[in-house]
Amino acid sequence: MSGIAITFMIISMLTIWGGLALSLWNLSRHPEKQDDDIELAPTSNE
């Protein structure tokens, strides 16, 4: 492999794995609410 190919491979690997790591870190800091935890808004039956 040439030097430019290795450079682009490293950049693409950092982009993919870095995005995965950042998304997992963000999800651990701000977890999604479970369906059971979501409160429904009261509805008025007029």
Side-chain angles (χ1 to χ4, degrees):
M1 288 173 120
S2 66
I4 193 75
I6 293 172
T7 302
F8 276 107
M9 181 183 70
I10 291 172
I11 290 171
S12 63
M13 288 172 65
L14 287 175
T15 301
I16 292 172
W17 290 108
L20 177 64
L22 285 176
S23 65
L24 289 174
W25 178 64
N26 188 29
L27 188 59
S28 70
R29 288 182 58 215
H30 306 287
E32 294 181 354
K33 289 188 175 184
Q34 296 291 329
D35 289 338
D36 297 338
D37 295 342
I38 298 173
E39 295 179 15
L40 298 176
T43 57
S44 62
N45 295 330
E46 293 184 75

